[in-house]
Amino acid sequence: MGKSHMQQHSDQSDAWELLPLSPRGTHSSVDPLSGGGGRPKRTAEDYRTLWKTAIRQQILLLRMEKENQRLEEASRDELHIRKMKLSYQEVGLDSQELQALWEKKLTAPGRTTVRQDQEDLYRALCQGVPKSRRGEVWLLLCHQHRLSRRHTQRQQAADTPYRDLLKQLTAQQHAILVDLGRTFPNVEYFSAQLGAGQLSLYNLLKAYSLLDTEVGYCQGVSFVAGVLLLHMSEEQAFDTLKFLMYDLGIRRQYKPDMISLQIQMYQLSRLLHDYHRDLYNHLEEYEICPSLYAAPWFLTLFASQFPLGFVSRVFDFLFVQGTEVIFKVALCLLSNHQGEIVECDSFESIVDYLKTTLPSLTQVQMELTIAKVTEMDISKQLHAYEVEYHVLQDEVADGGATPNDSERLDKLEKTNVQLKKQNMELLEKLQAARQKIQTLETNVENFLSRESKLKHVIRTLEQERSAHQKTIERMRSCLPSDVLTDVEMTHIKTAAAAAPDAKAKACAKKP
């Protein structure tokens, strides 16, 4: 009877521990499992139900704990990727005042539906953009641009959802895959073969090639897409790429006929002629036209050759001023390096300077270039040069050329386009080869460094060996002659005993 009572009391105590505690329960002196208080007595089935409930709750708690752990790891991974994306050096200072300025603009009510003061936005851009908020700022500028031109007629991109495009196949797949490793090979986010960066870049380029079948895929687009991916998600980058290509009209320079790019090269040449005549004459003397050095600047928006911090600042103004900012930056870069370019006295040295030395800008040079760009206005000149180009083309077309001359002109134009494409391909291959050479040089330097360390270790070991030999000699000199003789005899016996084993092992190794 006493034993049964104790067992029942123990069961009731265990069940009491499994029940959830309420704020009022701790102050009650009545046991809810006891027979008192008019409550029915608990049965074995009740206890089993309580145990099952407790087990289910425990399983739920374990699942919640694992899910929290997974979310924490995902958060750490996301933070690491974001840090990896924004590892470039910023141009300008990222102050608290700048952060507060953009925080106010990015959280303003109706920022995507109501036009903000454009001059105020431009002044804020001139002060700088925090790289941690740059993606948000670009999206804001896209919305503001569309609001200011909502009634303007322009070519619209197809409204196909990004995820639907990813489910389709593209004829440009091989070209895109080949160029993945060539796009920002020195940027950690894109350097891992078929890593997260390259996969996102592939998705973005594939989707755009399906959206815009006239342009399809061009290697220059991959650098533009890469810059966007460093600052925003895939879908945001896709929408922003559509904005750049269609709303700002950048897609014209990627069309197969390349007429827009030819016009841009003519405009840049005219700018040099009117504003920097000495530099223009020097380049003309060696027959160096803008397409030899500036075509990659326009096709990749400077992203293929210049530091990412500088490129990001160019993009800041691109969303406000369009392609005009590319001319401004190109003109500033050439004028800032005019002295060094004029000192080059051969075709090869000038081209090499423009392609390798000039893009290696210092922090001060980048800041001065951007400051100079913000003060320039060449919109009227660019428009005049474009009209001038078309007039010249019309004069050539209406110059009374015979049918044979027209055919020859068409053939020459086609040949010129093909040669320009070949030139671009060769320039891209040359750039890839130089990057490979840099990688090999880095590997050689690492090997030389390791060799130097190993030599140092060897010298240290030799010194230790010499010191040990001297110690042994001193110890021998301190030993009595009879003890020394015994030691030498022991050493001789040990060596003699080891010799047959060594011979046996040598024989065993022979076939």
Side-chain angles (χ1 to χ4, degrees), residues 418-465:
Q418 291 175 353
L419 289 173
K420 284 182 177 180
K421 287 183 178 179
Q422 291 176 3
N423 184 37
M424 287 298 299
E425 291 174 358
L426 289 172
L427 289 173
E428 291 166 0
K429 289 179 180 179
L430 179 62
Q431 187 178 354
R434 281 177 174 162
Q435 290 171 348
K436 191 172 182 181
I437 289 171
Q438 289 178 353
T439 304
L440 291 173
E441 287 177 348
T442 303
N443 291 338
V444 169
E445 289 178 0
N446 292 335
F447 286 135
L448 291 174
S449 176
R450 288 175 60 189
E451 182 185 12
S452 175
K453 290 178 181 178
L454 288 172
K455 285 181 178 178
H456 178 71
V457 172
I458 290 171
R459 284 196 298 269
T460 304
L461 292 173
E462 286 178 348
Q463 291 173 357
E464 290 180 358
R465 180 171 172 269

Side-chain angles (χ1 to χ4, degrees), residues 213-244:
T213 53
E214 184 182 9
V215 169
Y217 168 72
C218 175
Q219 189 181 16
V221 181
S222 64
F223 284 94
V224 178
V227 174
L228 297 178
L229 282 173
L230 291 176
H231 297 90
M232 54 185 71
S233 67
E234 270 185 48
E235 293 195 39
Q236 289 175 333
F238 180 69
D239 291 336
T240 308
L241 182 60
K242 285 198 299 183
F243 169 82
L244 293 175

Side-chain angles (χ1 to χ4, degrees), residues 1-14:
M1 179 75 176
K3 185 176 181 181
S4 175
H5 177 73
M6 289 176 64
Q7 185 176 356
Q8 183 180 355
H9 176 74
S10 176
D11 291 342
Q12 291 176 350
S13 177
D14 292 340

Side-chain angles (χ1 to χ4, degrees), residues 317-337:
F317 292 98
L318 179 70
F319 286 94
V320 175
Q321 299 181 345
T323 53
E324 181 186 342
V325 74
I326 308 175
F327 290 98
K328 290 182 179 181
V329 174
L331 196 61
C332 287
L333 289 171
L334 292 169
S335 64
N336 291 343
H337 293 81

Side-chain angles (χ1 to χ4, degrees), residues 489-502:
M489 289 299 296
T490 304
H491 179 69
I492 292 170
K493 289 178 181 179
T494 303
D501 293 339

Side-chain angles (χ1 to χ4, degrees), residues 10 54 70 76 147 151 155 198 211 255-256 269 290 362 387 412 425 428 448 490 492:
S10 176
R70 188 188 66 79
R76 285 197 297 270
L147 287 172
H151 301 300
Q155 186 177 2
Q198 288 195 5
L211 179 83
K255 288 183 177 181
S269 178
T362 64
V387 172
L412 287 172
E425 291 174 358
E428 291 166 0
L448 291 174
T490 304
I492 292 170

Side-chain angles (χ1 to χ4, degrees), residues 267-327:
Q267 289 171 307
L268 181 59
S269 178
R270 291 289 283 112
L271 284 169
L272 285 173
H273 177 272
D274 290 353
Y275 291 93
H276 304 286
R277 183 65 64 86
D278 291 340
L279 178 58
Y280 173 82
N281 291 335
H282 185 69
L283 294 174
E284 282 292 305
E285 180 184 351
Y286 291 96
E287 298 182 350
I288 297 174
C289 58
S291 59
L292 281 175
Y293 58 88
W297 298 356
F298 282 79
L299 291 173
T300 68
L301 308 184
F302 298 97
S304 63
Q305 297 175 333
F306 290 80
L308 268 174
F310 179 75
V311 175
S312 299
R313 284 295 282 150
V314 174
F315 270 63
D316 292 343
F317 292 98
L318 179 70
F319 286 94
V320 175
Q321 299 181 345
T323 53
E324 181 186 342
V325 74
I326 308 175
F327 290 98

